[in-house]
Amino acid sequence: MSLGFAALGKIGLELPGITEFSTSETMGHSGDRLAAAFGISRREQDEYALRSHSLAQKAQDEGSLSDVLSIMVPGINRPVDKDNGIRVSSLDKLAQLRPAFVKPHGTVTPANASFLTDGGSAVLMMTEEKALELGYKPKAYLRDFCYAAQDPKDQLLLGPTYATTKLLSRTGLSLKDFDVFELHEAFAGQILANLTAMNSDYFAKNFLAGKKIGELPIDKLNLWGGSLSLGHPFGATGCRLVTTAANRLKKGNGKFALVAACAAGGHGHAMVVERYPN
């Protein structure tokens, strides 16, 4: 269910800000400029967006997105019990949408950008010893994590690349050690730019002290959909990424997952999640 901005104002809810506080630029403009800087075409962004929605629909149909609590919404006579932003369309229909931020020649549209939505998430975290003492069955270990920061003007949304470089260097792991990848999809152009930066010799030499990450395997990335299709409730996406990674590891009998996201202020975050073996 969604409410128009006018309706939200009438019931006293404050609209979330999508403007970067350090530059006063909307993140959509930043995403559009980033896609242009890395040569990500409108077609490529639409293809990735369609992939996200298609995978989310498949995961939902197969019951993989079952860890969603149902809620009752005033005025609706049935509970909301699943993510309702999934829209599997076609490339022809996506191509008809107009640019949302840089007009008239931008490439970010409502379809290839994560949409504003409401939501919440929670993770129960404690030591393994305490969990077993209380009778809980752990799902995963949070093995390591790190933060990184970069220029919020031109590299606002490249946090996953910077943080992943730092994390891999610290842990001694490489991309081949991971069975699952969960990256925040702020914009299709943003995630494609990060994938390009990770595998770029030029970017590694000039921005990552020569530490090239490599080509992230797309067949392991966000296989249950992502923020483009499930939405991006501010403050809740991080938990969703971690729990999705843990659930995918458990279902696929994998060992390690890499979780990464960009954030306001030019920040980035990366985490290693390990499946609990027992």
Side-chain angles (χ1 to χ4, degrees):
M1 188 191 76
S2 61
L3 293 172
F5 283 172
L8 287 173
K10 289 180 180 179
I11 59 177
L13 293 180
E14 182 179 349
L15 298 179
I18 54 173
T19 300
E20 167 54 34
F21 64 90
S22 65
T23 64
S24 298
E25 181 179 54
T26 66
M27 291 189 178
H29 280 87
S30 297
D32 217 318
R33 289 195 299 104
L34 184 66
F38 279 85
I40 310 298
S41 69
R42 164 72 182 271
R43 173 82 177 191
E44 289 172 316
Q45 293 174 64
D46 286 349
E47 287 175 346
Y48 186 89
L50 180 58
R51 173 188 186 271
S52 181
H53 282 269
S54 298
L55 289 174
Q57 185 66 68
K58 181 175 182 292
Q60 193 174 74
D61 292 344
E62 293 176 351
S64 297
L65 305 180
S66 59
D67 59 343
V68 178
L69 299 177
S70 61
I71 61 168
M72 293 299 298
V73 179
I76 305 297
N77 59 9
R78 60 183 179 83
V80 177
D81 57 4
K82 63 181 180 180
D83 292 302
N84 56 12
I86 302 172
R87 302 283 188 273
V88 179
S89 185
S90 68
L91 288 175
D92 288 340
K93 289 183 178 179
L94 297 186
Q96 297 174 15
L97 296 178
R98 296 179 180 180
F101 300 98
V102 180
K103 304 174 182 180
H105 303 301
T107 57
V108 174
T109 71
N112 60 41
S114 58
F115 54 93
L116 290 176
T117 185
D118 192 16
S121 60
V123 170
L124 184 60
M125 186 167 58
M126 63 186 71
T127 64
E128 179 182 11
E129 292 75 17
K130 189 64 176 179
L132 296 178
E133 176 189 329
L134 295 174
Y136 295 134
K137 183 177 181 180
K139 182 173 289 186
Y141 297 107
L142 303 182
R143 282 303 189 191
D144 207 344
F145 66 92
C146 71
Y147 294 92
Q150 58 280 341
D151 175 17
K153 177 64 177 177
D154 293 323
Q155 298 185 335
L156 174 67
L157 303 173
L158 285 176
T161 299
Y162 283 93
T164 297
T165 303
K166 184 177 178 181
L167 186 66
L168 295 183
S169 177
R170 191 161 86 183
T171 60
L173 297 171
S174 66
L175 294 183
K176 69 178 185 297
D177 295 311
F178 294 93
D179 302 292
V180 167
F181 294 89
E182 283 292 326
L183 272 62
H184 170 43
E185 299 171 348
F187 304 92
Q190 162 263 333
I191 198 165
L192 292 173
N194 274 278
L195 296 183
T196 301
M198 289 180 182
N199 198 36
S200 167
D201 292 317
Y202 174 85
F203 194 87
K205 178 181 178 181
N206 290 276
F207 299 100
L208 302 176
K211 298 176 182 177
K212 177 180 172 181
I213 298 174
E215 184 176 5
L216 193 148
I218 195 72
D219 60 338
K220 297 180 180 180
L221 173 66
N222 296 5
L223 296 188
W224 292 358
S227 301
L228 288 173
S229 47
L230 302 174
H232 176 33
F234 291 0
T237 294
C239 288
R240 183 192 64 75
L241 290 169
V242 173
T243 55
T244 300
N247 290 335
R248 285 182 56 198
L249 285 174
K250 183 178 179 181
K251 188 169 185 177
N253 200 33
K255 184 176 182 180
F256 288 125
L258 175 68
V259 176
C262 53
H267 294 100
H269 170 261
M271 175 181 286
V272 175
V273 178
E274 181 182 354
R275 178 179 61 87
Y276 192 73
N278 299 324

